[in-house]
Amino acid sequence: MTDETSGAVGAKPIGTASGPAARGLRRDAVGLREVLFQSITAMAPGAAVAASIPAGAAWAGGSLPLAVLAALVACLFTANSVAELARHMPAAGSVATYSAQGLHPAVGFLVAWGYVAVQAMIPTLLLLQLGFTTAGTLSTEWHGYPAGLWWPWALAGAVVIGLAGVYGIRGSARLGTVLGAFEIAVFVVFAVLLIVDAGGHNTLSVFGTGHTPAAHHGLSGVIAGSVYTVLAFAGFEAAAPLAEEAADPRRTVRRAVLGAAVAIGAVYVLTTYAMDVYFGPGRFSGFGTDGPASWGGVARASYGLLWLFVFLAVVNSTIANANAGANVSTRTGFALGRIGVLPRGFAYVSERHRSPLVAVGVQFAIAVGATLAIGLGFGPVNGFLLVATAIVVVVVSVYIVVNLACVGYFLRRRRSDFRVLRHLVLPVLGVLVLIPALLTAAGIPAFSFIARLTAPVSYAGPAVLVWMALGVLLLAWLWARHRQSVLDTARVHAEE
């Protein structure tokens, strides 16, 4: 059969399956609130405010709020593409299904291959951060605690995430909602205190180019800062893989994707502005992720025990983000197991909680194994930077492909719904603004503000290339021997 929805030739309806895989995920299990916080926690706002966004201060200086605002606008281009595609294709395969429908099933397969791998590594990324953040803080407060004893905290976080996955999307999503609300509340309250204490130093001039450092003066510094800042928005699309478990997914997922991007973007702008005017725009280029010139340092020096809440918010953010990443990877793994790209066992769903148990188990094993191997091999901080770089390279590449898929889908399959602004202009702008971010993440010095990567972070690019080369080889084999599995990346099972 072929139609506008399934897009796969000869695809068999999912209803013909039998056994545990035929049960599928629990329908109408979560509503807008839980789906919204799936995207919010995937963006890790607490960790982004304290760690990711300050990386742009070296380039934008006191004009960093303008750079964050520019990054928000840039990310909304891609959020629009995801939201538009999610409205028509409620599928656990999410970006893979969109790419298969909008471009070609082979492209959808490669997107799935890359996306499921990086999402499976997100818990490792955050567990490493959880480990070294907790160990470092404990060592600072209690000098008898060894700063290198990070791995017990990482393992404890892995157990929490694994249990949440076993109990199904309701428990996992509710955990994400509670954790996400806490970290946002802490930083918003902190920002309000900073703005009040800044008093007469509050100024809208930080939304101009006048406070950029001399080495990166003017608009070039703001652009460079926004490129580094745009990486803090990654994850807004994480609501999409919950489409088969969400109530009214066509509306819910679309609202969640756009709502998360706008809401957390507003939090980023507010918090960056608050710290900027409090710390001083003229010296903000020296603001960073640790020491006195950081969120933790300012909280400790000026607000006493508030630093403890900032610390807990960052720790909370790592667990929430890891949980959201696990939700995405297990649902994507379920979708790929269902069509036979991964072993069929990935599509096994528990009868009681309707959670993809095999996918959850594999995710837990990857999280524990990779965290210990990378953390002990390179050190937790270097391991974190290595994994983060690989993830960002793939995720930004996926965003570029999804923007192109949005154009292709509405031109080829939904021509009657095609709108020039939403389905052509905004996606093309999304591609253009993401190219500098991709080059920056990969360390390709096409612009003066891009720094070359050093080892072990420089290993990320070759690792991604090897993984994607394996995907191309697997694609060639499947296309020759089991072509239907590739074609089925375009199926929207919720419609059948």
Side-chain angles (χ1 to χ4, degrees):
M1 70 179 191
T2 59
D3 61 37
E4 186 175 72
T5 309
S6 72
V9 179
K12 296 179 181 179
I14 194 67
T16 62
S18 61
R23 280 197 296 269
L25 301 169
R26 188 188 299 276
R27 297 295 174 88
D28 300 328
V30 288
L32 176 59
R33 181 184 61 189
E34 291 82 8
V35 178
L36 173 64
F37 272 92
Q38 164 70 10
S39 278
I40 286 176
T41 54
M43 296 170 72
V49 169
S52 300
I53 292 176
W59 308 98
S63 296
L64 188 59
L66 176 60
V68 174
L69 187 60
L72 169 59
V73 174
C75 285
L76 286 176
F77 297 149
T78 302
N80 165 78
S81 294
V82 175
E84 288 297 301
L85 292 167
R87 180 170 62 174
H88 294 283
M89 289 177 280
S94 64
V95 293
T97 304
Y98 309 156
S99 303
Q101 290 264 355
L103 298 173
H104 191 276
V107 177
F109 171 84
L110 291 176
V111 166
W113 180 255
Y115 194 65
V116 73
V118 299
Q119 293 298 329
M121 289 300 292
I122 281 180
T124 289
L125 173 75
L126 277 304
L127 292 174
L128 288 169
Q129 185 179 13
L130 172 63
F132 68 69
T133 298
T134 305
T137 301
L138 291 177
S139 179
T140 300
E141 294 301 313
W142 296 282
H143 299 300
Y145 188 91
L149 191 59
W150 58 271
W151 57 266
W153 303 103
L155 292 182
V159 171
V160 172
I161 296 160
L163 289 175
V166 168
Y167 280 95
I169 194 59
R170 284 179 175 168
S172 183
R174 287 168 184 169
L175 174 65
T177 300
V178 173
L179 296 179
F182 173 76
E183 64 184 284
I184 292 170
V186 168
F187 279 99
V188 168
V189 169
F190 193 2
V192 171
L193 291 175
L194 292 171
I195 291 171
V196 171
D197 287 350
H201 295 290
N202 280 282
T203 173
L204 293 179
S205 65
V206 295
F207 290 100
T209 60
H211 297 291
T212 51
H216 311 286
H217 185 66
L219 189 59
S220 62
V222 172
I223 293 173
S226 68
V227 168
Y228 284 89
T229 302
V230 76
L231 305 180
F233 287 83
F236 59 80
E237 84 292 348
L242 303 191
E244 295 179 30
E245 298 164 281
D248 192 8
R250 294 178 183 277
R251 298 178 62 197
T252 300
V253 173
R254 183 174 186 273
R255 290 179 177 182
V257 169
L258 291 173
V262 172
I264 298 307
V267 171
Y268 289 165
V269 173
L270 171 68
T271 52
T272 305
Y273 167 83
M275 184 57 78
D276 193 354
V277 295
Y278 178 87
F279 192 80
R283 59 195 186 104
F284 203 61
S285 59
F287 195 79
T289 60
D290 54 25
S294 68
W295 278 87
V298 170
R300 186 185 296 271
S302 303
Y303 297 98
L305 285 177
L306 184 59
W307 75 267
L308 180 60
F309 286 94
V310 172
F311 163 68
L312 291 175
V314 173
V315 168
N316 169 102
S317 187
T318 62
I319 296 175
N321 190 190
N323 178 65
N327 284 339
V328 173
S329 68
T330 53
R331 271 60 190 176
T332 306
F334 165 84
L336 295 180
R338 180 170 54 187
I339 63 176
V341 170
L342 291 179
R344 295 280 182 181
F346 277 81
Y348 176 83
V349 176
S350 71
E351 187 168 0
R352 181 176 180 183
H353 299 293
R354 302 289 282 276
S355 57
L357 281 185
V358 173
V360 169
V362 171
Q363 171 62 83
F364 178 78
I366 291 174
V368 172
T371 298
L372 293 177
I374 294 173
L376 295 175
F378 297 106
V381 176
N382 283 334
F384 172 86
L385 295 174
L386 169 62
V387 176
T389 302
I391 288 174
V392 169
V393 168
V394 177
V395 168
V396 174
S397 300
V398 168
Y399 288 170
I400 291 173
V401 173
V402 169
N403 277 306
L404 297 175
C406 183
V407 177
Y409 180 75
F410 285 96
L411 280 177
R412 295 169 55 220
R413 298 183 180 276
R414 293 274 182 177
R415 193 60 180 266
S416 60
D417 296 324
F418 177 78
R419 300 293 182 270
V420 173
L421 178 62
R422 279 185 291 171
H423 305 135
L424 180 61
V425 175
L426 295 183
V428 169
L429 289 175
V431 171
L432 295 177
V433 300
L434 286 171
I435 289 175
L438 177 61
L439 296 173
T440 300
I444 301 174
F447 302 98
S448 61
F449 57 81
I450 299 177
R452 287 188 178 275
L453 303 179
T454 58
V457 179
S458 59
Y459 303 157
V464 169
L465 288 176
V466 169
W467 178 255
M468 294 311 298
L470 291 174
V472 170
L473 293 176
L474 178 59
L475 170 63
W477 181 78
L478 287 172
W479 192 259
R481 303 290 297 274
H482 304 282
R483 185 171 301 184
Q484 190 61 54
S485 293
V486 178
L487 296 176
D488 280 352
T489 58
R491 287 177 66 185
V492 183
H493 294 80
E495 301 263 335
E496 298 176 0

